[in-house]
Amino acid sequence: MNAKYKALWLNDNDNLEVIDQTKLPFSYETKELVTTDEVVNAIKDMTVRGAGVIGSVAAFGIYMAAKEVKGDYEALLHKASLIRDSRPTAVNLMWAVDRMMLRLKDAKDLIAKAREEAVLLNDEEAQESQKIAKYGCEIIEDILKEKNKTRINILTHCNAGWLAVIDEGTALAPIYEAHKRGIDVHVWVDETRPRNQGASLTAWELTQSGIKHTIIADNTGGHLMQHGMVDMVITGADRISANGDVANKIGTYLKALAAFDNQVPFYVAIPASTFDHEIRDGVKEIPIETRSADEVKYMRGVDKKGVLHEVLITPAQSPALNYGFDVTPSRLVTGLITNKGVCKADYQSIKEKFNSDGE
Ligand code: MRU
């Protein structure tokens, strides 16, 4: 069984190793996560982030925890709840922990089974990402044909590439596929304040793959759309309600409004694990993470000598508020690019594609 994915893998000690995303784009460093505390902290402090990847890390985290408690299921239940509670919005995290614990319930050899199930879950996620790439790329090709153009300009928000979902990402998966097929693709990359996942992570990923891109301040998208400079928007998601409301990185809703006003297609790319079939009204019911005000008040970056600094950019006394996500109502979403094909963002279409258990 394979246990090597782009953003995380089992290392030679059979421990979980991840790319430390807090260090990108300035340095590439990895971290070994052995204990449950290390896994929980890595999710909380966003060493690893992105809806799919925190689910993937959680699955391997259960394997690490199973070794830590020497195969005791009752003790593992407690460790699992700590991992499950490490961040509130991306449902992939809860989904991964629940699936793991359900399948480990009657395991004879808990440790071996935990490893097997974590690998299986991650292999499935990687396969779903490939399917999203294919279905999303077909939409890109259709738009180019319809507009009789050779270059496509795609706007994306935050990071939903391979750092966020193994192994090709979600929003970026169709873009990678288009690039592979020789399509001239250019990406408008929202910087994504306050943590700048777009400017630091999406731009870094696209640079690695040689894909044309331009980083824009978060408020630029509406202007670009008014001037015909955006052919489509693709974002990822952290949780989608049964009626197709989309929780994604804060600021996504404003992009969807601007896209709607300018008749720019707005697509959301997701694997099955991002659906929350229990929730009907996403705006009212999806829990939104609030993070430290310091993420708004301080910026990180390197000086001309490459030394990393964190600097205050506001009056020291001014309070700040930091919601991590917002919810885009389904009526603003053109379509969902899923591992089972493209569907409308509404209750009936989602139900027809996915059973309530998400299988
Ligand atoms: O806070 P983050 O960086 O973990 O946020 C998750 C995201 O990266 C985005 O919301 C993304 O668009 C969806 S994750 C596939």
Side-chain angles (χ1 to χ4, degrees):
M1 258 186 197
N2 182 20
K4 170 120 188 67
Y5 310 92
K6 286 183 182 167
L8 52 127
W9 54 91
L10 288 179
N11 64 20
D12 293 343
N13 304 322
D14 209 40
N15 290 327
L16 178 57
E17 188 134 347
V18 298
I19 296 177
D20 183 346
Q21 300 193 25
T22 64
K23 299 287 177 359
L24 291 171
F26 309 114
S27 66
Y28 177 94
E29 293 173 33
T30 67
K31 241 187 198 176
E32 185 183 57
L33 308 176
V34 182
T35 65
T36 308
D37 283 352
E38 285 170 353
V39 170
V40 168
N41 289 334
I43 295 173
K44 281 190 174 161
D45 72 12
M46 294 173 68
T47 298
V48 286
R49 35 65 50 204
V53 156
I54 61 177
S56 295
V57 165
F60 279 117
I62 299 285
Y63 171 48
M64 293 295 108
K67 290 200 274 185
E68 199 179 1
V69 299
K70 301 186 170 42
D72 176 343
Y73 186 79
E74 288 307 312
L76 185 61
L77 273 175
H78 171 65
K79 299 279 183 194
S81 72
L82 298 176
I83 297 173
R84 198 181 191 280
D85 292 344
S86 53
R87 285 190 76 188
T89 301
V91 75
N92 313 60
L93 172 63
M94 297 88 196
W95 167 82
V97 171
D98 294 348
R99 169 171 150 159
M100 288 292 293
M101 293 313 291
L102 190 69
R103 294 186 181 195
L104 294 182
K105 214 167 178 193
D106 302 313
K108 290 205 177 71
D109 180 342
L110 190 84
I111 297 174
K113 179 79 171 153
R115 187 184 195 284
E116 184 187 314
E117 285 295 338
V119 171
L120 184 67
L121 181 147
N122 279 280
D123 284 350
E124 284 174 19
E125 289 285 280
Q127 283 161 18
E128 292 192 10
S129 165
Q130 278 171 14
K131 291 187 182 142
I132 290 166
K134 181 180 152 290
Y135 293 126
C137 189
E138 286 167 7
I139 298 174
I140 291 174
E141 287 170 334
D142 286 349
I143 290 176
L144 283 174
K145 211 180 280 169
E146 198 182 302
K147 290 189 159 184
N148 198 21
K149 283 177 63 173
T150 51
R151 171 188 268 214
I152 188 136
N153 286 295
I154 301 174
L155 186 141
T156 192
H157 190 71
C158 198
N159 171 262
W162 61 260
L163 288 165
V165 181
I166 59 167
D167 232 348
E168 303 295 328
T170 49
L172 294 193
I175 292 169
Y176 287 129
E177 182 64 23
H179 182 66
K180 265 189 233 153
R181 293 187 195 180
I183 293 171
D184 184 7
V185 53
H186 168 261
V187 186
W188 296 111
V189 178
D190 279 351
E191 61 178 346
T192 320
R193 283 278 291 144
R195 289 187 66 105
N196 294 321
Q197 289 95 327
S200 56
L201 305 178
T202 298
W204 181 79
E205 276 196 37
L206 295 174
T207 303
Q208 303 297 306
S209 293
I211 295 178
K212 287 178 218 149
H213 62 280
T214 308
I215 299 165
I216 50 175
D218 282 330
N219 298 324
T220 309
H223 172 77
L224 297 179
M225 291 181 207
Q226 283 176 324
H227 291 273
M229 294 162 80
V230 181
D231 298 302
M232 73 187 296
V233 180
I234 315 181
T235 73
D238 297 82
R239 190 185 294 228
I240 297 203
S241 65
N243 65 343
D245 297 333
V246 174
N248 193 49
K249 184 52 56 190
I250 192 82
T252 304
Y253 173 43
L254 290 177
K255 296 296 131 46
L257 282 171
F260 191 75
D261 195 42
N262 291 282
Q263 293 91 47
V264 172
F266 184 96
Y267 284 95
V268 177
I270 60 264
S273 54
T274 303
F275 285 102
D276 184 342
H277 299 280
E278 304 295 312
I279 282 182
R280 279 301 271 265
D281 184 330
V283 177
K284 286 199 187 126
E285 295 175 74
I286 295 177
I288 300 295
E289 177 177 36
T290 313
R291 295 187 63 86
S292 163
D294 281 357
E295 292 183 352
V296 176
K297 297 182 66 171
Y298 289 82
M299 291 270 275
R300 281 153 53 96
V302 293
D303 63 20
K304 285 187 177 154
K305 292 189 180 127
V307 181
L308 189 69
H309 298 281
E310 195 166 90
V311 293
L312 180 66
I313 58 163
T314 65
Q317 303 83 346
S318 292
L321 179 60
N322 186 10
Y323 287 118
F325 302 91
D326 60 26
V327 177
T328 298
S330 58
R331 67 189 159 79
L332 301 176
V333 178
T334 308
L336 302 174
I337 306 168
T338 81
N339 53 299
K340 292 193 170 182
V342 180
C343 74
K344 286 200 187 124
D346 63 41
Y347 181 77
Q348 202 50 38
S349 311
I350 293 171
K351 201 169 162 224
E352 276 163 23
K353 276 237 182 286
F354 295 89
N355 297 329
S356 57
D357 62 2
E359 296 295 326

Short mmCIF file of all heavy atoms in Angstrom, two decimals, residues 2-20 28-33 56-57 60 64 115 122 162 166-167:
data_model
loop_
_atom_site.label_atom_id
_atom_site.label_comp_id
_atom_site.label_asym_id
_atom_site.label_seq_id
_atom_site.Cartn_x
_atom_site.Cartn_y
_atom_site.Cartn_z
N ASN A 2 0.50 2.18 -0.85
CA ASN A 2 1.24 3.44 -0.92
C ASN A 2 0.97 4.28 0.32
O ASN A 2 -0.13 4.30 0.83
CB ASN A 2 0.77 4.18 -2.18
CG ASN A 2 1.52 5.46 -2.38
OD1 ASN A 2 2.60 5.64 -1.83
ND2 ASN A 2 0.94 6.35 -3.15
N ALA A 3 1.96 4.97 0.85
CA ALA A 3 1.70 5.89 1.96
C ALA A 3 2.49 7.17 1.75
O ALA A 3 2.98 7.78 2.69
CB ALA A 3 2.06 5.24 3.28
N LYS A 4 2.62 7.55 0.50
CA LYS A 4 3.36 8.78 0.19
C LYS A 4 2.48 9.68 -0.64
O LYS A 4 2.05 9.33 -1.73
CB LYS A 4 4.66 8.41 -0.56
CG LYS A 4 5.42 9.57 -1.15
CD LYS A 4 6.83 9.69 -0.58
CE LYS A 4 7.55 10.97 -1.03
NZ LYS A 4 6.95 12.20 -0.49
N TYR A 5 2.17 10.81 -0.09
CA TYR A 5 1.36 11.82 -0.78
C TYR A 5 2.18 13.10 -0.81
O TYR A 5 3.15 13.23 -0.07
CB TYR A 5 0.03 12.01 -0.05
CG TYR A 5 -0.66 10.70 0.22
CD1 TYR A 5 -0.46 10.01 1.41
CD2 TYR A 5 -1.46 10.11 -0.76
CE1 TYR A 5 -1.04 8.78 1.64
CE2 TYR A 5 -2.04 8.87 -0.55
CZ TYR A 5 -1.84 8.20 0.66
OH TYR A 5 -2.41 6.98 0.86
N LYS A 6 1.73 14.06 -1.64
CA LYS A 6 2.58 15.25 -1.82
C LYS A 6 2.73 16.08 -0.53
O LYS A 6 3.79 16.58 -0.23
CB LYS A 6 1.99 16.13 -2.91
CG LYS A 6 2.19 15.60 -4.31
CD LYS A 6 1.62 16.60 -5.30
CE LYS A 6 1.74 16.11 -6.72
NZ LYS A 6 0.92 16.93 -7.64
N ALA A 7 1.64 16.25 0.21
CA ALA A 7 1.68 17.15 1.36
C ALA A 7 1.99 16.44 2.67
O ALA A 7 2.26 17.08 3.69
CB ALA A 7 0.35 17.91 1.48
N LEU A 8 1.93 15.09 2.65
CA LEU A 8 2.16 14.31 3.88
C LEU A 8 2.51 12.89 3.50
O LEU A 8 2.18 12.43 2.40
CB LEU A 8 0.88 14.32 4.75
CG LEU A 8 -0.41 13.91 4.05
CD1 LEU A 8 -1.10 12.80 4.81
CD2 LEU A 8 -1.33 15.11 3.92
N TRP A 9 3.20 12.20 4.40
CA TRP A 9 3.59 10.82 4.10
C TRP A 9 4.00 10.13 5.39
O TRP A 9 4.18 10.78 6.43
CB TRP A 9 4.75 10.80 3.09
CG TRP A 9 5.93 11.62 3.49
CD1 TRP A 9 7.03 11.21 4.20
CD2 TRP A 9 6.14 13.02 3.20
NE1 TRP A 9 7.89 12.25 4.37
CE2 TRP A 9 7.39 13.37 3.77
CE3 TRP A 9 5.42 14.01 2.52
CZ2 TRP A 9 7.91 14.66 3.70
CZ3 TRP A 9 5.93 15.30 2.44
CH2 TRP A 9 7.17 15.62 3.02
N LEU A 10 4.13 8.81 5.31
CA LEU A 10 4.71 8.07 6.43
C LEU A 10 6.20 7.96 6.14
O LEU A 10 6.60 7.50 5.07
CB LEU A 10 4.08 6.68 6.55
CG LEU A 10 2.63 6.65 7.07
CD1 LEU A 10 2.10 5.22 7.12
CD2 LEU A 10 2.49 7.32 8.44
N ASN A 11 7.01 8.40 7.09
CA ASN A 11 8.46 8.43 6.85
C ASN A 11 9.11 7.08 7.18
O ASN A 11 8.41 6.10 7.50
CB ASN A 11 9.11 9.60 7.61
CG ASN A 11 8.98 9.46 9.12
OD1 ASN A 11 8.75 8.36 9.63
ND2 ASN A 11 9.14 10.57 9.82
N ASP A 12 10.43 7.04 7.14
CA ASP A 12 11.14 5.77 7.36
C ASP A 12 10.91 5.19 8.75
O ASP A 12 11.08 3.99 8.97
CB ASP A 12 12.65 5.95 7.12
CG ASP A 12 12.94 6.23 5.65
OD1 ASP A 12 12.04 5.98 4.82
OD2 ASP A 12 14.04 6.73 5.34
N ASN A 13 10.53 6.03 9.71
CA ASN A 13 10.20 5.54 11.06
C ASN A 13 8.75 5.12 11.16
O ASN A 13 8.24 4.85 12.24
CB ASN A 13 10.44 6.63 12.11
CG ASN A 13 11.85 7.17 12.06
OD1 ASN A 13 12.79 6.41 11.86
ND2 ASN A 13 12.01 8.48 12.24
N ASP A 14 8.04 5.16 10.01
CA ASP A 14 6.61 4.89 9.97
C ASP A 14 5.82 5.91 10.81
O ASP A 14 4.77 5.61 11.37
CB ASP A 14 6.28 3.46 10.43
CG ASP A 14 5.01 2.94 9.74
OD1 ASP A 14 4.85 3.20 8.54
OD2 ASP A 14 4.19 2.31 10.41
N ASN A 15 6.35 7.13 10.88
CA ASN A 15 5.63 8.24 11.53
C ASN A 15 5.14 9.21 10.47
O ASN A 15 5.67 9.25 9.35
CB ASN A 15 6.54 8.96 12.51
CG ASN A 15 6.84 8.10 13.72
OD1 ASN A 15 5.99 7.31 14.15
ND2 ASN A 15 8.04 8.23 14.27
N LEU A 16 4.16 10.01 10.87
CA LEU A 16 3.59 10.98 9.93
C LEU A 16 4.56 12.15 9.75
O LEU A 16 5.05 12.72 10.72
CB LEU A 16 2.24 11.48 10.50
CG LEU A 16 1.52 12.54 9.68
CD1 LEU A 16 1.25 12.07 8.25
CD2 LEU A 16 0.20 12.92 10.37
N GLU A 17 4.81 12.49 8.51
CA GLU A 17 5.64 13.66 8.21
C GLU A 17 4.85 14.58 7.29
O GLU A 17 4.18 14.11 6.37
CB GLU A 17 6.95 13.20 7.54
CG GLU A 17 7.92 14.33 7.38
CD GLU A 17 9.35 13.96 7.80
OE1 GLU A 17 9.56 12.90 8.44
OE2 GLU A 17 10.24 14.76 7.48
N VAL A 18 4.91 15.87 7.58
CA VAL A 18 4.10 16.83 6.79
C VAL A 18 4.98 18.00 6.37
O VAL A 18 6.00 18.29 7.00
CB VAL A 18 2.92 17.39 7.63
CG1 VAL A 18 1.97 16.28 8.05
CG2 VAL A 18 3.41 18.18 8.85
N ILE A 19 4.56 18.67 5.30
CA ILE A 19 5.21 19.93 4.94
C ILE A 19 4.74 20.99 5.94
O ILE A 19 3.54 21.10 6.19
CB ILE A 19 4.83 20.35 3.50
CG1 ILE A 19 5.36 19.32 2.49
CG2 ILE A 19 5.38 21.75 3.19
CD1 ILE A 19 4.96 19.62 1.05
N ASP A 20 5.67 21.74 6.51
CA ASP A 20 5.30 22.83 7.43
C ASP A 20 4.87 24.03 6.58
O ASP A 20 5.70 24.78 6.06
CB ASP A 20 6.48 23.18 8.33
CG ASP A 20 6.09 24.25 9.34
OD1 ASP A 20 5.03 24.88 9.18
OD2 ASP A 20 6.87 24.47 10.28
N TYR A 28 11.26 25.55 2.58
CA TYR A 28 10.57 24.26 2.55
C TYR A 28 11.10 23.43 3.70
O TYR A 28 12.27 23.07 3.73
CB TYR A 28 10.85 23.56 1.20
CG TYR A 28 10.24 22.17 1.11
CD1 TYR A 28 8.99 21.98 0.55
CD2 TYR A 28 10.92 21.05 1.61
CE1 TYR A 28 8.42 20.70 0.48
CE2 TYR A 28 10.37 19.78 1.54
CZ TYR A 28 9.12 19.62 0.98
OH TYR A 28 8.57 18.35 0.91
N GLU A 29 10.23 23.20 4.69
CA GLU A 29 10.64 22.40 5.84
C GLU A 29 9.55 21.37 6.12
O GLU A 29 8.38 21.62 5.83
CB GLU A 29 10.80 23.29 7.08
CG GLU A 29 11.97 24.27 6.95
CD GLU A 29 12.05 25.27 8.10
OE1 GLU A 29 11.68 24.89 9.23
OE2 GLU A 29 12.48 26.41 7.85
N THR A 30 9.95 20.26 6.69
CA THR A 30 8.95 19.25 7.05
C THR A 30 8.99 19.03 8.56
O THR A 30 9.96 19.40 9.22
CB THR A 30 9.20 17.92 6.31
OG1 THR A 30 10.41 17.34 6.77
CG2 THR A 30 9.26 18.12 4.81
N LYS A 31 7.92 18.45 9.07
CA LYS A 31 7.82 18.19 10.51
C LYS A 31 7.34 16.76 10.71
O LYS A 31 6.41 16.33 10.02
CB LYS A 31 6.75 19.11 11.10
CG LYS A 31 7.27 20.06 12.15
CD LYS A 31 6.11 20.79 12.79
CE LYS A 31 6.62 22.04 13.48
NZ LYS A 31 5.55 22.85 14.04
N GLU A 32 7.94 16.06 11.65
CA GLU A 32 7.48 14.72 11.99
C GLU A 32 6.44 14.85 13.12
O GLU A 32 6.70 15.55 14.11
CB GLU A 32 8.66 13.85 12.45
CG GLU A 32 8.27 12.42 12.70
CD GLU A 32 9.44 11.57 13.21
OE1 GLU A 32 10.03 11.93 14.25
OE2 GLU A 32 9.74 10.54 12.57
N LEU A 33 5.29 14.23 12.95
CA LEU A 33 4.24 14.28 13.98
C LEU A 33 4.08 12.88 14.56
O LEU A 33 3.69 11.96 13.85
CB LEU A 33 2.92 14.76 13.38
CG LEU A 33 2.96 16.08 12.59
CD1 LEU A 33 1.60 16.39 11.99
CD2 LEU A 33 3.42 17.24 13.48
N SER A 56 -6.89 14.29 6.07
CA SER A 56 -5.86 13.28 5.81
C SER A 56 -4.92 13.14 7.00
O SER A 56 -4.57 12.03 7.41
CB SER A 56 -5.04 13.70 4.58
OG SER A 56 -5.85 13.69 3.43
N VAL A 57 -4.52 14.28 7.56
CA VAL A 57 -3.62 14.27 8.72
C VAL A 57 -4.34 13.64 9.92
O VAL A 57 -3.75 12.88 10.69
CB VAL A 57 -3.14 15.71 9.03
CG1 VAL A 57 -2.52 15.81 10.43
CG2 VAL A 57 -2.14 16.17 7.98
N PHE A 60 -4.19 9.79 9.59
CA PHE A 60 -2.89 9.28 10.03
C PHE A 60 -2.64 9.60 11.51
O PHE A 60 -1.91 8.88 12.19
CB PHE A 60 -1.76 9.83 9.16
CG PHE A 60 -1.62 9.08 7.85
CD1 PHE A 60 -1.82 9.72 6.64
CD2 PHE A 60 -1.28 7.73 7.84
CE1 PHE A 60 -1.70 9.03 5.44
CE2 PHE A 60 -1.16 7.03 6.65
CZ PHE A 60 -1.36 7.68 5.44
N MET A 64 -1.19 7.30 14.48
CA MET A 64 -0.15 7.66 15.44
C MET A 64 -0.67 7.46 16.87
O MET A 64 0.02 6.94 17.74
CB MET A 64 0.27 9.14 15.26
CG MET A 64 0.97 9.45 13.97
SD MET A 64 2.57 8.61 13.86
CE MET A 64 2.20 7.41 12.65
N ARG A 115 -3.46 1.80 10.49
CA ARG A 115 -2.56 2.18 9.38
C ARG A 115 -3.24 1.89 8.04
O ARG A 115 -3.25 2.72 7.14
CB ARG A 115 -1.24 1.39 9.49
CG ARG A 115 -0.20 1.85 8.48
CD ARG A 115 1.05 0.97 8.55
NE ARG A 115 2.18 1.57 7.87
CZ ARG A 115 2.36 1.62 6.56
NH1 ARG A 115 1.44 1.13 5.75
NH2 ARG A 115 3.42 2.19 6.04
N ASN A 122 -6.74 7.93 2.45
CA ASN A 122 -5.93 8.88 1.68
C ASN A 122 -5.82 8.49 0.21
O ASN A 122 -5.84 9.37 -0.66
CB ASN A 122 -4.55 9.03 2.34
CG ASN A 122 -4.63 9.99 3.50
OD1 ASN A 122 -4.63 11.19 3.31
ND2 ASN A 122 -4.77 9.47 4.71
N TRP A 162 -2.59 21.28 -4.00
CA TRP A 162 -2.15 20.02 -3.40
C TRP A 162 -1.68 20.17 -1.96
O TRP A 162 -1.54 19.18 -1.23
CB TRP A 162 -1.13 19.30 -4.26
CG TRP A 162 0.17 20.00 -4.54
CD1 TRP A 162 0.50 20.69 -5.68
CD2 TRP A 162 1.34 20.04 -3.70
NE1 TRP A 162 1.78 21.17 -5.59
CE2 TRP A 162 2.33 20.79 -4.39
CE3 TRP A 162 1.67 19.54 -2.45
CZ2 TRP A 162 3.60 21.04 -3.87
CZ3 TRP A 162 2.93 19.79 -1.91
CH2 TRP A 162 3.88 20.53 -2.62
N ILE A 166 -5.02 16.31 -0.88
CA ILE A 166 -4.16 15.42 -1.65
C ILE A 166 -4.94 14.89 -2.86
O ILE A 166 -6.15 14.75 -2.80
CB ILE A 166 -3.62 14.24 -0.81
CG1 ILE A 166 -4.77 13.43 -0.24
CG2 ILE A 166 -2.73 14.73 0.29
CD1 ILE A 166 -4.30 12.11 0.33
N ASP A 167 -4.33 14.66 -4.04
CA ASP A 167 -2.93 14.84 -4.28
C ASP A 167 -2.69 15.95 -5.30
O ASP A 167 -1.56 16.35 -5.53
CB ASP A 167 -2.34 13.53 -4.80
CG ASP A 167 -1.12 13.08 -4.00
OD1 ASP A 167 -0.59 13.89 -3.21
OD2 ASP A 167 -0.69 11.95 -4.18
#
